[in-house]
Amino acid sequence: MTPPTPTPILGLRLTPMPLVRGGWTRVIERTFVVYRKAWLVFLTGMLEPLFYLLSIGVGLAALVPAFTLSDGTPIGYTAFIAPAMLAASAMNGAIFDSTYGVFFRLKYQKLYDVMLATPLRPRDIAVGEIVWSLGRGTVYSAAFVLIMVAMDLTSSWWTWLALPAAMLIGFAFAGMAMALTTFMRSWQDFEFVQLAIMPMFLFSATFYPLATYPEGLRLVVQATPLYQGVALERALTTGTVGVEAVGHVAYLVVMGVVGLRIAAHRIDTLLLR
Amino acid sequence: MPDPTTAPLVRARALTKSYGDFQAVRGIDIDVAPGEAFGFLGPNGAGKSSTMRMVAAVSPVTSGELRILGLDPATDGPQIRAQIGVCPQEDTLDTELTVRENLVVYGRYFGMSRQRCRQRADELLEFVHLADKAGGKITALSGGMKRRLTIARSLVNEPRLLLLDEPTTGLDPQARHVVWDQLYRLKQTGVTIVLTTHYMDEAEQLCDRLVVMDQGAIAAEGSPRTLIEAYSTREVAEIRMGVGDNAVAADKAEGLAERMEVLPDRILLYADSGDAVLEAVHARGIRPQSTLVRRSTLEDVFLRLTGRSLGE
Amino acid sequence: MSTQPGSLEMVARQWDYFRTLFRRTWRGSIVSNTVLPVFFLLAMGLGLGGYIDDGGSSTIGISYLAFIAPGMLATNAMTMAVGESTYPIWVSFKWEPVYSARIATPLRIVDVLNGLVAFLLVRLVLTCAVMMAVLVAFGTVSSVAGGVGAVLMCTLLGLAYALPVFALSASIDDDTPFALLFRLGIIPMTLFSGAFFPVSQMPEALQWVAYLTPIWHGVESARMCTTGVVAWLPLAGHAGYLAVWVVAGWLLARRQFTARLADG
């Protein structure tokens, strides 16, 4: 065997390494490296809401009579449902990333254990994951809004705020979903996620107006976060914005912030034992 | 300010760690000097890994004092982790990344520049003989290769202190020797190493100084040589009897050696000359099926200190 | 050497394993297989259907609830079959040496495949039967024979999807193709297969694409059965078309299973 020669690899460095500023960007960078190889998966993620829109716009809309908006203007079924699809896909994307994705990395891949052996902190991980999820959601939402405009499904300059609104919806659900994920014990628990999302998707005034429901049920529907998102997006793309919009925004902001705080705290107690 | 060249890199006083009612570490004192290779030797469940997690600044101290690189892990965790390298017991390589990307991305977690990360990755792949696998998938690597890559990963940030938790557990003998060779070369360049192991040969190969841990406490401390001198004899004569004959033979051999241990499958007789003991054994009319004379090892030290074998 | 036992015997030998697996997982499947379809029928069939039926411009001839109910039954069978034949199979090949362990016993590769098919078949029948009970509760099934017929057709449909996907799962190393299969295959097939609106609404070229997919045949035949408007020759045609997919899929799966397991 050759005698060991000191190589630059094994240097003894006495100057302390500077702390990582914006450690969360490093968490995103890793995801970016992974997705660079799976760009097709990234791109096709955009198609799902579009398929829904086309299915309903091309096929179902012919069967459904026009609805009237809160101010009495009639609206075609495709234009009625498009903002709801935008809100629902923002929710779905955020929840998928923050539940299955986070659970896999937390419990199976042990990725967060690895990250925490470096100067990165739990906060960096939570923020990094949510910002990535938001970034991806933003690309998808932007494509969807452009398609809505191209298909002439919007009727107001407020439409340009539909994109930031979709980002807000993504943030709200990502924060809360990540917080819930830290409490999950096994994949079986994710059945409950399905059990929460699916009814919300179906009943949050997505496919028909809130007025369809009897009075008491209406309050229940209005309390759900997706209803808040759908109502906000529909007000923006149809140009029927009122003071309620402030309430919708406040609801979603609080939900996201609370979720994010719980998630960072829980990752802390789960991993730094 | 203490002198950075001699101040201990790890200093623990009355350090404990509890998980609920279970006390995993029961008040230990340690000092690891710069340039030293320091080992925790003990069976599974002795509290080695819990101690390592505290030293890695990822597990809060329950009580006692702990300083790593002169810093308090409770308040300066990120600063400490920036300067140490950690090689965990299980391979936690990122299976979604290639071999080389594992090193580059890990370096980025430390805030190193992209260019520096790439340069380090290439140097380290060369060092652990994985340069030809750079673009390959993690799942295609053998157990020994994965462990070498994990060690390479722990060196990305040019750590002042390298923590290795059971570095060769689960590897075949040949792969273990490759890993030992690389750790030995690291040691030669002055990197301070703290490792845990339940293999005597590993501790003897790599450690300048070690503590024997048992049930969360330190049972003994010293270099492998001094521990053997203090807790064992120069040589050991092992005799194997037929099934069920151990007790009779042990009675007959009473007083022949400085110390005797009766194990389920053999009897160990401790003495400075193993051959002399064997002669005496024959002289007393004991007829073993097989005999062996060997030098004392840390296994014997552990047996003496705890009354149990390390493997148990 | 003793004679090789028959294939049925070999499938039966794996039964205890599958029974244990089923006992552990059936609760989760109940949620996705019953509760969610009920929600769906409430929201789309009754909620949205109310507007469609009142609108008067409907071209479907029956209530919207009765129209989408068999569509739900069929798409549900497809989704379940594809779900069960993607990740669970792939994981067993790639991460857990379950199948290699099984062929170390007297079981042959083809027995392992048939065991998986038999297990899926049982769950498909159960899933479709449970769904059928929901459909009956919503009053969308015209006769007992029709209900049984729809369950059988949808079970066949499930196998028509599962077997080619078995072959895929045995062939791939990483799971990226699954994401593409769902996004570019299963989701559009669910949405444009005539389950939620007649394919005649679509441009003619797309209609022909729909006719090629097994799901369209499943939806059409299930709808014939539940509504009681049966045209026997087309029904036989649908069944025959689905059977071709099952047989071709089985042959392909056997080839891929052999290729994967024989290499070790």
Side-chain angles (χ1 to χ4, degrees):
Chain A
M1 191 169 290
T2 52
T5 46
T7 72
I9 310 158
L10 317 164
L12 180 68
R13 198 171 32 74
L14 289 176
T15 46
M17 183 163 287
L19 272 186
V20 190
R21 272 175 220 285
W24 57 272
T25 59
R26 304 309 165 89
V27 177
I28 294 180
E29 204 176 305
R30 177 208 165 260
T31 317
F32 189 76
V33 173
V34 171
Y35 266 93
R36 210 169 43 189
K37 288 174 284 190
W39 57 272
L40 200 58
V41 173
F42 185 93
L43 279 185
T44 52
M46 216 178 282
L47 293 175
E48 187 172 336
L50 183 62
F51 281 142
Y52 272 92
L53 186 65
L54 287 177
S55 167
I56 288 155
V58 172
L60 201 55
L63 307 176
V64 186
F67 287 137
T68 49
L69 290 172
S70 48
D71 65 354
T73 28
I75 179 170
Y77 190 58
T78 314
F80 175 82
I81 206 163
M85 291 295 121
L86 177 61
S89 84
M91 169 186 82
N92 271 329
I95 289 183
F96 186 84
D97 283 341
S98 309
T99 53
Y100 292 93
V102 167
F103 189 75
F104 176 69
R105 293 193 275 278
L106 182 72
K107 293 278 165 82
Y108 285 83
Q109 210 175 20
K110 306 276 181 203
L111 181 66
Y112 301 151
D113 283 297
V114 172
M115 288 177 168
L116 289 179
T118 75
L120 297 181
R121 297 157 302 173
R123 191 181 341 160
D124 296 321
I125 294 173
V127 172
E129 289 287 9
I130 286 179
V131 171
W132 164 261
S133 169
L134 278 186
R136 171 153 87 156
T138 304
V139 174
Y140 291 178
S141 299
F144 193 87
V145 170
L146 286 178
I147 288 163
M148 279 177 70
V149 172
M151 286 173 69
D152 204 16
L153 298 174
T154 59
S155 46
S156 160
W157 286 106
W158 285 104
T159 296
W160 298 111
L161 286 179
L163 180 59
M167 291 165 71
L168 176 61
I169 295 167
F171 168 68
F173 279 98
M176 200 46 84
M178 189 188 267
L180 290 176
T181 299
T182 61
F183 289 95
M184 306 237 174
R185 292 150 305 172
S186 72
W187 292 111
Q188 263 85 37
D189 286 345
F190 285 97
E191 287 288 340
F192 297 109
V193 175
Q194 276 298 313
L195 205 54
I197 299 179
M198 191 71 186
M200 234 185 336
F201 174 62
L202 291 168
F203 297 111
S204 297
T206 24
F207 293 97
Y208 39 84
L210 183 66
T212 313
Y213 298 110
E215 190 77 47
L217 217 48
R218 248 178 257 176
L219 289 172
V220 177
V221 170
Q222 281 175 305
T224 66
L226 183 58
Y227 172 79
Q228 301 287 327
V230 169
L232 179 62
E233 292 290 9
R234 193 168 280 147
L236 292 170
T237 63
T238 58
T240 51
V241 181
V243 279
E244 323 80 76
V246 179
H248 301 320
V249 170
Y251 181 112
L252 295 168
V253 167
V254 170
M255 176 171 151
V257 169
V258 169
L260 190 56
R261 294 199 66 137
I262 297 176
H265 174 74
R266 284 281 304 165
I267 291 181
D268 218 298
T269 50
L270 278 180
L271 295 177
L272 300 180
R273 281 177 295 117
Chain B
M1 177 100 188
D3 179 357
T5 54
T6 57
L9 294 188
V10 180
R11 179 190 146 88
R13 291 293 176 272
L15 183 64
T16 75
K17 177 74 197 184
S18 300
Y19 300 100
D21 291 338
F22 174 66
Q23 205 177 11
V25 179
R26 302 159 184 258
I28 59 172
D29 295 353
I30 315 167
D31 284 292
V32 179
E36 192 175 27
F38 183 91
F40 290 96
L41 176 71
N44 291 329
K48 295 170 295 170
S49 291
S50 298
T51 307
M52 284 295 254
R53 281 176 55 81
M54 287 191 279
V55 174
V58 292
S59 174
V61 168
T62 305
S63 74
E65 185 196 323
L66 180 63
R67 291 289 175 277
I68 300 131
L69 310 168
L71 299 168
D72 180 356
T75 51
D76 300 318
Q79 283 90 337
I80 293 168
R81 297 196 296 266
Q83 302 175 69
I84 63 177
V86 177
C87 177
Q89 188 173 343
E90 287 168 47
D91 289 312
T92 51
L93 295 165
D94 196 328
T95 51
E96 291 182 276
L97 303 176
T98 64
V99 168
R100 185 169 179 271
E101 282 170 350
N102 258 276
L103 301 181
V104 174
V105 167
Y106 197 75
R108 294 289 291 159
Y109 296 159
F110 285 90
M112 293 158 59
S113 75
R114 274 194 194 85
Q115 196 204 347
R116 181 81 190 108
C117 288
R118 290 193 203 110
Q119 190 189 339
R120 281 295 285 170
D122 293 334
E123 289 167 3
L124 289 167
L125 287 177
E126 206 60 57
F127 174 62
V128 296
H129 308 308
L130 287 172
D132 56 329
K133 305 277 182 197
K137 289 183 176 183
I138 298 301
T139 45
L141 299 183
S142 71
M145 290 176 181
K146 282 183 190 161
R147 185 51 53 92
R148 272 146 52 203
L149 183 59
T150 308
I151 290 171
R153 191 180 66 177
S154 68
L155 295 169
V156 161
N157 59 328
E158 297 172 61
R160 295 175 60 188
L161 173 64
L162 181 61
L163 307 180
L164 302 152
D165 198 356
E166 303 277 353
T168 64
T169 296
L171 299 188
D172 61 57
Q174 201 186 346
R176 296 180 74 201
H177 280 283
V178 176
V179 169
W180 284 344
D181 171 54
Q182 275 153 6
L183 293 178
Y184 188 77
R185 285 166 59 194
L186 275 177
K187 206 176 111 176
Q188 294 246 307
T189 61
V191 174
T192 309
I193 294 176
V194 174
L195 63 89
T196 72
T197 182
H198 64 265
Y199 294 126
M200 268 63 46
D201 48 354
E202 187 159 279
E204 284 172 356
Q205 283 259 348
L206 296 174
C207 298
D208 300 320
R209 204 158 58 84
L210 54 93
V211 291
V212 178
M213 276 191 89
D214 186 41
Q215 298 181 347
I218 293 177
E221 179 179 349
S223 71
R225 201 66 262 152
T226 56
L227 282 171
I228 290 167
E229 278 165 16
Y231 295 98
S232 190
T233 52
R234 202 175 69 90
E235 290 190 338
V236 188
E238 293 193 5
I239 60 175
R240 284 175 193 272
M241 307 300 297
V243 179
D245 294 344
N246 262 8
V248 181
D251 280 345
K252 280 196 193 170
E254 196 62 58
L256 282 181
E258 281 181 36
R259 198 163 63 82
M260 180 168 67
E261 293 280 353
V262 184
L263 302 182
D265 59 334
R266 67 210 142 122
I267 298 171
L268 306 182
L269 296 160
Y270 291 90
D272 283 333
S273 167
D275 287 328
V277 169
L278 281 186
E279 276 174 34
V281 163
H282 282 281
R284 286 208 183 168
I286 303 169
R287 296 287 173 264
Q289 291 182 339
S290 68
T291 60
L292 167 73
V293 172
R294 59 171 176 83
R295 297 177 74 89
S296 279
T297 67
L298 286 170
E299 172 89 53
D300 300 300
V301 173
F302 190 79
L303 191 62
R304 167 77 184 278
L305 287 168
T306 67
R308 288 177 293 120
S309 307
L310 268 169
E312 280 170 27
Chain C
M1 191 173 158
S2 63
T3 53
Q4 174 74 36
S7 288
L8 268 178
E9 154 76 18
M10 286 313 212
V11 166
R13 286 187 190 182
Q14 300 169 67
W15 195 246
D16 282 358
Y17 167 78
F18 287 125
R19 204 180 52 194
T20 317
L21 198 67
F22 183 72
R23 258 197 219 138
R24 232 177 35 216
T25 53
W26 69 273
R27 279 175 200 87
S29 337
I30 287 288
V31 171
S32 35
N33 291 336
T34 51
V35 181
L36 297 181
V38 169
F39 283 149
F40 199 91
L41 286 176
L42 282 175
M44 302 303 279
L46 293 180
L48 185 63
Y51 290 96
I52 294 174
D53 299 342
D54 294 348
S57 61
S58 173
T59 51
I60 53 181
I62 47 176
S63 81
Y64 189 61
L65 179 65
F67 181 83
I68 61 162
M72 276 294 300
L73 182 70
T75 52
N76 197 46
M78 168 180 73
T79 310
M80 183 252 172
V82 173
E84 293 297 326
S85 46
T86 46
Y87 289 94
I89 304 289
W90 175 74
V91 164
S92 303
F93 272 116
K94 188 170 166 75
W95 300 106
E96 303 157 2
V98 180
Y99 304 145
S100 320
R102 236 174 268 169
I103 59 166
T105 71
L107 296 174
R108 294 161 306 176
I109 292 171
V110 69
D111 299 321
V112 171
L113 172 61
N114 287 339
L116 290 167
V117 174
F119 181 47
L120 182 66
L121 181 67
V122 170
R123 282 176 304 162
L124 267 172
V125 172
L126 284 177
T127 302
C128 291
V130 169
M131 262 297 276
M132 180 51 68
V134 173
L135 262 53
V136 170
F138 274 85
T140 58
V141 185
S142 63
S143 72
V144 174
V148 173
V151 167
L152 291 179
M153 287 307 294
C154 288
T155 303
L156 186 63
L157 171 72
L159 290 181
Y161 275 96
L163 281 158
V165 177
F166 271 12
L168 174 72
S169 301
S171 316
I172 59 176
D173 188 53
D174 86 324
D175 61 343
T176 311
F178 290 151
L180 302 181
L181 172 70
F182 280 102
R183 286 171 178 176
L184 300 178
I186 304 306
I187 288 172
M189 278 195 265
T190 306
L191 292 170
F192 299 98
S193 60
F196 304 113
F197 59 87
V199 289
S200 58
Q201 301 278 355
M202 296 195 294
E204 197 168 339
L206 285 180
Q207 291 181 34
W208 282 100
V209 176
Y211 299 153
L212 287 176
T213 61
I215 182 66
W216 180 77
H217 297 269
V219 169
E220 285 297 305
S221 51
R223 193 171 284 138
M224 279 187 204
C225 294
T226 57
T227 56
V229 189
V230 178
W232 289 104
L233 194 62
L235 185 62
H238 293 314
Y241 185 73
L242 293 177
V244 169
W245 276 85
V246 174
V247 173
W250 186 83
L251 291 171
L252 200 59
R254 188 182 61 172
R255 204 181 78 181
Q256 295 309 120
F257 269 53
T258 308
R260 182 78 169 239
L261 289 172
D263 301 342

